[in-house]
Amino acid sequence: MGSVEELRPIFSPKSIAVIGASRSPMKIGYEILQNILVQGYTGKIYPINPEVPEIMGLKVQPSVLAVKDDIDLAIIAVPAEAVPKVMMECAKKKVKGVIVISSGFAETGEKGRLLEEEILQIARKGNMRLIGPNTLGYKDPIDNLDAAFVFGMPRPGEIALISQSGALCIGMVYYANGEYIGLSRVISIGNKADVDDADLIDYLDQDPATKVIAMYIEGIKDGKKFLDAARRCQKPIVVIKAGRTPAGSAAASTHTGSLSGSDIVYDSAFRQVHIQRAYDVIELFDFARALAYQPPALGGRVGIISNGGGAGIMTADWCESVGLKVPNLTKKTIDALRPHLPSITSARNPLDVTGDARFHRYHATGSIMLSDPNIDSLIMVCVHAGIARPREFVGAVIKLVGDKRNLKKPIVACWVGGPEIDEVVQELRVKNIPVYSSASRAAKAVKCLYEEGHRLELIGKKKQARENHS
Ligand code: ACO
């Protein structure tokens, strides 16, 4: 059985045992059971605790061995030293997969490492796939299953999130919620004793709900397996690889027992398999949202429209500094733009539509620029000049994205003006149109779409070459 089929009982379980389900609302074993119930899980659920007859109205069994039905997934939240025993019981019960929430394994030193090895061997002998230890669990907003111990679900969407850090994982979920970014599956992967990033890439590549895979990684144990999975993957992958510096690397070893490795090696390996690298959470989601909801850019030539000269210049600078081009427009485009511009403005790229631009000027110039054969993508910028009309800017961007879908050229927006008007540009976020608060974020997102265009082109060429040979 391949890893995709092996992981299905973990991520689409028909029955779940919560081992260490607690009667105390302050404990993790209580919270996991509560979260599963709150989301309305429709499969069978078995709380396991030898000390308690009933929790939250459910009958409690002293051990998985006392459960008569089959168990697909066991979520284990008992102290580390008790984990081997309950895992042996799971193996005897022929449980298909386990998530070990408990900490106290490789991240704590040699004794913990040996304990982790012990539970790995129990899982292997028992034919169970193991997620963790030292994990938060997972949250699945598509199938409404909250198998994690912190309250709160992501908005449903098309970006899968895998995180080696549990706390950061939940922080990223709340950040994404605030930005109206929807997620398909959220998996905290912990120490990766068994199931690792490569297994999850393979799994999510087959997942119809996922369009983009976003990852937070501290260390990768099996580099070849990871690179093979990334190379196979048809979907774009964006990664934050933390532990880049001596200080970060030392912290990663005590956090998840990871060996961070040389950052230069990671960087070149990621490039080889077209993984896009993000350097913080904001960037991870900037890229993931652009990849999920805009077409890839088929070239690196960017058109820029702004209602303020400075913002346009800065955007042009950022585009060129990340390796994009801000080309001249064709004569046909220049002629078409002129009637829409005030006489003080020249028709060029970046285009300054001036502070008094309203819906029609934004929309008409945007349409014309997008149709220029020299332009592969468009950045629409609005700054909060006193006479600016951000609501009309937002309307123009939304209409352009809808009208010009057939051109298959990405459009991203950039809003510079702070919280006063943020509520207005929120409409773009709600509609999944990327909107960024700075020129650098917008330019990097377009660069990311350009890299994705390049990746798809190479995949297409490889496919064509294979077909020509067969
Ligand atoms: N089978 C079933 N239930 C058992 C067993 C057993 N063999 N042994 C104990 N239990 C029950 C206990 O009776 C208790 O229930 P009760 O509260 O009703 O009495 C329950 O299981 C929990 O056991 P405790 O001994 O009370 O353990 P506690 O809840 O304090 O801690 C835990 C267990 C949460 C797993 C802890 O050891 C731990 O590892 N905490 C850290 C978890 C974590 O942070 N994980 C990483 C997340 S990622 C991140 O970055 C945040």
Side-chain angles (χ1 to χ4, degrees):
M1 208 191 314
S3 67
V4 173
E5 283 314 308
E6 287 169 357
L7 294 184
R8 218 173 291 287
I10 294 184
F11 293 122
S12 298
K14 293 192 181 70
S15 49
I16 305 175
V18 179
I19 304 178
S22 167
R23 66 204 122 168
S24 161
M26 300 310 289
K27 290 196 184 169
I28 284 177
Y30 177 97
E31 207 174 358
I32 293 168
L33 186 62
Q34 171 196 258
N35 289 353
I36 295 171
L37 292 173
V38 165
Q39 285 307 312
Y41 174 65
T42 52
K44 291 181 183 147
I45 176 148
Y46 301 102
I48 310 291
N49 187 328
E51 308 292 329
V52 195
E54 188 188 295
I55 303 174
M56 296 178 218
L58 296 173
K59 184 170 168 15
V60 177
Q61 304 289 351
S63 149
V64 286
L65 296 172
V67 175
K68 291 205 175 60
D69 298 317
D70 291 344
I71 298 172
D72 276 354
L73 168 64
I75 304 177
I76 300 174
V78 297
E81 53 286 3
V83 173
K85 180 172 174 284
V86 297
M87 278 195 53
M88 279 192 276
E89 290 171 354
C90 287
K92 199 165 170 196
K93 175 68 190 162
K94 296 195 176 354
V95 169
K96 294 184 186 118
V98 295
I99 298 177
V100 178
I101 301 285
S102 322
S103 303
F105 292 88
E107 79 283 4
T108 58
E110 185 55 15
K111 195 164 157 247
R113 196 191 60 74
L114 291 173
L115 196 58
E116 188 165 310
E117 183 56 30
E118 188 184 345
I119 63 166
L120 174 62
Q121 292 314 323
I122 297 168
R124 295 239 159 103
K125 285 197 191 111
N127 289 321
M128 300 181 290
R129 294 309 303 265
L130 157 66
I131 293 193
N134 191 26
T135 165
L136 187 85
Y138 72 84
K139 291 179 182 280
D140 181 337
I142 302 295
D143 294 326
N144 281 328
L145 175 51
D146 190 352
F149 71 78
V150 178
F151 192 83
M153 283 296 269
R155 287 177 194 281
E158 292 168 294
I159 299 165
L161 178 64
I162 303 169
S163 176
Q164 195 167 353
S165 163
L168 183 64
C169 182
I170 204 72
M172 290 192 282
V173 167
Y174 295 148
Y175 171 78
N177 279 352
E179 291 289 309
Y180 282 83
I181 295 171
L183 304 177
S184 54
R185 326 278 177 188
V186 175
I187 305 164
S188 157
I189 191 172
N191 290 8
K192 304 190 268 199
D194 172 32
V195 174
D196 60 13
D197 308 281
D199 295 314
L200 293 181
I201 288 173
D202 282 340
Y203 184 79
L204 293 167
D205 196 25
Q206 304 296 319
D207 175 19
T210 296
K211 269 188 170 171
V212 176
I213 302 171
M215 310 176 80
Y216 168 83
I217 295 176
E218 290 174 7
I220 293 169
K221 287 179 190 160
D222 187 339
K224 183 176 179 316
K225 183 181 170 196
F226 178 86
L227 292 179
D228 287 347
R231 202 175 279 114
R232 269 193 301 274
C233 185
Q234 297 292 310
K235 297 176 183 171
I237 303 173
V238 189
V239 168
I240 299 177
K241 165 64 186 70
R244 295 183 288 123
T245 60
S249 172
S253 78
T254 52
H255 183 219
T256 49
S258 294
L259 292 173
S260 301
S262 152
D263 197 58
I264 299 169
V265 172
Y266 272 105
D267 212 48
S268 91
F270 287 165
R271 268 178 225 280
Q272 271 175 41
V273 293
H274 304 287
I275 284 178
Q276 306 226 34
R277 210 166 162 182
Y279 287 87
D280 63 21
V281 168
I282 293 175
E283 204 165 77
L284 185 77
F285 286 108
D286 280 359
F287 293 179
R289 167 133 70 182
L291 290 164
Y293 299 107
Q294 287 292 307
L298 300 180
R301 301 163 306 170
V302 189
I304 299 166
I305 295 176
S306 79
N307 67 338
I313 296 165
M314 216 161 40
T315 308
D317 278 345
W318 266 107
C319 284
E320 299 236 315
S321 27
V322 298
L324 298 165
K325 294 261 174 296
V326 182
N328 292 330
L329 303 170
T330 62
K331 179 164 182 323
K332 189 175 163 201
T333 303
I334 291 168
D335 291 344
L337 285 172
R338 275 211 180 97
H340 298 281
L341 298 171
S343 55
I344 50 162
T345 304
S346 51
R348 61 186 305 279
N349 186 23
L351 181 68
D352 181 359
V353 290
T354 71
D356 63 346
R358 303 195 61 169
F359 176 93
H360 284 294
R361 203 183 296 160
Y362 282 121
H363 183 261
T365 54
S367 299
I368 294 164
M369 255 217 207
L370 270 175
S371 303
D372 188 311
N374 285 354
I375 296 296
D376 302 305
S377 55
L378 183 65
I379 302 180
M380 300 273 287
V381 188
C382 183
V383 293
H384 191 6
I387 45 171
R389 305 272 181 161
R391 207 173 283 282
E392 297 189 31
F393 165 77
V394 166
V397 174
I398 291 171
K399 187 150 168 52
L400 261 185
V401 169
D403 290 351
K404 299 291 171 185
R405 221 174 277 284
N406 61 327
L407 290 178
K408 295 198 169 35
K409 295 183 182 181
I411 303 171
V412 308
C414 178
W415 157 250
V416 186
E420 195 183 332
I421 310 290
D422 202 64
E423 195 187 306
V424 176
V425 296
Q426 191 77 319
E427 209 180 326
L428 293 171
R429 297 189 189 103
V430 173
K431 290 192 155 52
N432 272 319
I433 298 170
V435 54
Y436 303 113
S437 60
S438 73
S440 64
R441 287 176 65 189
K444 286 177 190 172
V446 172
K447 176 72 186 321
C448 167
L449 290 168
Y450 172 45
E451 294 290 344
E452 174 62 1
H454 182 57
R455 184 185 79 92
L456 293 176
E457 194 187 350
L458 289 177
I459 289 178
K461 277 188 186 153
K462 279 185 199 155
K463 200 169 155 225
Q464 190 63 53
R466 270 199 304 275
E467 280 165 13
N468 293 347
H469 276 283
S470 61

